[in-house]
């Protein structure tokens, strides 16, 4: 496959040629951290970038801060093979790009440029359509889920993106997540003069927190529940009449998440019963599904990654690692997808100020670009090898069949079902 080899080389050359522009793009995003659905500067930077590179851009694609950029090679007799690359670009409150989404955007852009450059340099075996989707609101909300609902993934064959971490990995089992806001309503009273007249909403909040801590003993090791008290009252001498908590519930499958949700809701409700408060449980964001594995895609990515200098832990280590959650999970229920993790030259952990610094560092560039090369090379393998695509489709079908999806949940369309950045335990060998 001399042509494939030549194309892979071309991917690397194009990405290197464009490296300064790509670096500037991710730097500009990094310097202006924006929260979910409000990523106006990042959106503007990315849409201008793709327009200037002669891509067909649909800015404001179904969402204000989403976009779609497309390019297609010349038509052949076969229907086009449709490859999607995703760019995330939302940041975290107060600590900026602490999950490195500026680098995710750069990887998506670089991989798309590299793949297009390679396909323009040869006569590809079939027509290829490349779509870059700008997907807002991963840290909160789930922009990809809005885009799934709008049909954005419907005709794609494979979707690829990569996420910054502490090491390179082909697949880490990101968990399904359900966010819940818990509100307790009590009755205010003078806390010293007439405490018996009050109904203490803070007591309910503390009981709820402790109920969850007690439940933890009976949780499976892969389950995660963590929360904060957003409102704990206003003054010590006023019995709090209102408190508010926010919790994230996570589990490795939709079935486990439904179980965990039931148990956790019992903890929240019983705290209300014990204190005489009223309770309100609500969720304002989409549930994220677990990320389905695709062995063939992950293996192909790792083979390419090794060619550009990556080191990977064993598959078993990867499968036992914990990450967080992502709305890419829902994408993997729609279309075969790959969501590898990549080293950015730092040992810092995601969601810390140190990681923000690392994501904006010059050092991260080398690792970010080699990740983009590996993603684009993986796309080339899919394009040049029809058997590979067949195997990817088989893996996808099997992974979906193996999910024990609770009744009442239609993963195809009912996105109101259940599904972190904790530490990524995959370490780089050299660290
Ligand atoms: N609705 C809350 C979503 C939180 C998503 C967040 N994602 C990441 O950290 C990216 C790594 N997969 C999380 O897992 O906390």
């Amino acid at each position: 496959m001399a042509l494939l080899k030549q194309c892979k080389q071309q991917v690397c050359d194009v990405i290197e040629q464009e490296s300064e522009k790509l670096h500037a793009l991710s730097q500009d995003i990094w310097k202006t951290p924006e929260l979910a659905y409000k990523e106006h500067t990042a959106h503007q930077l990315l849409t201008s970038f793709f327009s200037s590179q002669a891509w067909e851009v649909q800015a404001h694609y179904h969402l204000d801060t989403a976009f779609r950029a497309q390019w297609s090679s010349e038509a052949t007799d076969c229907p086009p093979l449709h490859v999607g690359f995703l760019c995330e670009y939302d940041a975290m409150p107060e600590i900026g790009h602490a999950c490195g989404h500026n680098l995710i955007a750069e990887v998506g852009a670089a991989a798309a440029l590299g793949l297009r450059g390679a396909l323009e340099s040869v006569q590809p075996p079939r027509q290829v359509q490349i779509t870059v989707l700008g997907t807002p609101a991963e840290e909160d909300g789930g922009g990809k889920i809005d885009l799934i609902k709008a049909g954005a993934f419907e005709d794609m064959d494979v979707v690829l993106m990569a996420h910054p971490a502490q090491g390179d990995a082909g697949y880490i089992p990101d968990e399904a997540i359900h966010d819940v806001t818990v509100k307790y309503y009590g009755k205010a009273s003078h806390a010293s003069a007439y405490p018996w007249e009050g109904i203490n909403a803070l007591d309910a909040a503390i009981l709820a927190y402790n109920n969850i801590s007690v439940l933890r003993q009976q949780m499976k090791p892969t389950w995660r529940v963590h929360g904060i008290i957003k409102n704990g009252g206003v003054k010590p001498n006023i019995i709090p009449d209102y408190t508010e908590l926010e919790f994230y519930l996570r589990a490795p499958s939709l079935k486990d998440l439904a179980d965990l949700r039931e148990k956790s809701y019992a903890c929240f409700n019983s705290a209300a019963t014990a204190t005489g408060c009223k309770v309100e449980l609500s969720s304002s964001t989409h549930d994220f599904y677990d990320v389905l594995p695709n062995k063939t895609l992950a293996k192909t990515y790792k083979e390419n990654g090794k060619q550009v200098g990556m080191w990977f832990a064993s598959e078993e280590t990867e499968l036992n690692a914990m990450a967080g959650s992502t709305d890419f999970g829902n994408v993997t229920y729609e279309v075969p997808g790959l969501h590898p993790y990549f080293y950015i030259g730092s040992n810092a952990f995601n969601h810390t100020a140190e990681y923000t610094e690392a994501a904006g560092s010059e050092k991260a560039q080398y690792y970010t670009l080699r990740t983009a090369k590996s993603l684009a090379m993986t796309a080339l393998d899919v394009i040049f090898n029809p058997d590979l695509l067949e195997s990817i489709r088989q893996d996808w079908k099997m992974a979906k069949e193996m999910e024990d999806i609770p009744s009442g949940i239609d993963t195809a369309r009912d996105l109101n079902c259940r599904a972190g950045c904790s530490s990524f335990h995959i370490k780089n060998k050299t660290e």
Side-chain angles (χ1 to χ4, degrees), residues 99 101 138-141 163 174 177 179 248 250 285-286 288 323-326 339 341 351 420-421 424:
C99 216
H101 290 191
E138 190 278 336
E139 289 294 350
D140 208 3
H163 196 293
D174 275 287
I177 183 169
D179 300 7
Y248 289 177
R250 310 188 198 233
T285 70
H286 299 295
F288 295 2
S325 309
T326 165
H339 183 273
Y341 282 93
H351 293 196
C421 215
F424 300 87

Side-chain angles (χ1 to χ4, degrees), residues 74-140:
E74 272 176 30
T76 60
D77 293 340
C78 281
L81 187 118
H82 193 169
V83 178
F85 292 111
L86 305 189
C87 294
E88 292 175 6
Y89 32 85
D90 60 326
M92 312 218 46
E94 299 186 11
I95 49 174
H97 274 290
C99 216
H101 290 191
N102 60 308
L103 301 179
I104 299 182
E106 183 178 351
V107 167
L113 261 50
L115 181 60
R116 172 178 171 172
L119 295 174
E120 279 177 334
S121 72
V122 295
Q123 173 83 45
R126 61 187 290 189
Q127 188 185 4
V128 178
Q129 183 180 340
I130 308 175
T131 293
V132 183
L133 283 182
T135 63
E138 190 278 336
E139 289 294 350
D140 208 3

Side-chain angles (χ1 to χ4, degrees), residues 8-76:
K8 288 189 177 180
Q9 185 56 51
Q10 185 69 8
V11 158
C12 298
D13 292 347
V14 170
I15 291 176
E16 285 304 325
Q17 279 154 23
E18 300 291 336
S19 62
E20 271 179 36
K21 281 185 210 150
L22 290 160
H23 186 195
L25 176 69
S26 85
Q27 272 294 299
D28 289 345
I29 296 173
W30 182 81
K31 282 182 202 148
T32 323
E34 296 161 307
L35 298 183
Y37 295 115
K38 294 187 185 127
E39 313 92 332
H40 297 286
T41 307
H43 173 266
Q44 172 62 36
L45 288 163
L46 282 155
T47 49
S48 305
F49 178 85
F50 280 103
S51 298
S52 72
Q53 297 273 342
W55 288 65
E56 191 189 316
V57 176
Q58 261 176 287
H60 315 296
Y61 181 65
H62 298 294
L63 296 170
D64 215 21
T65 55
F67 70 89
R68 181 166 83 166
Q70 288 189 301
W71 173 85
S72 183
S73 65
E74 272 176 30
T76 60

Side-chain angles (χ1 to χ4, degrees), residues 7 98 109 148 156 188 200-201 208 227 232 244 246 251 255 262 273 291 318 366 379 406 415-416 423 426:
C7 280
I148 290 171
M156 289 192 190
N200 196 326
E244 188 177 324
E246 195 178 333
K255 170 78 175 61
E262 195 180 325
T273 308
V291 173
E318 286 192 357
Y366 166 75
L415 297 158
N416 186 29
S423 53
I426 295 284

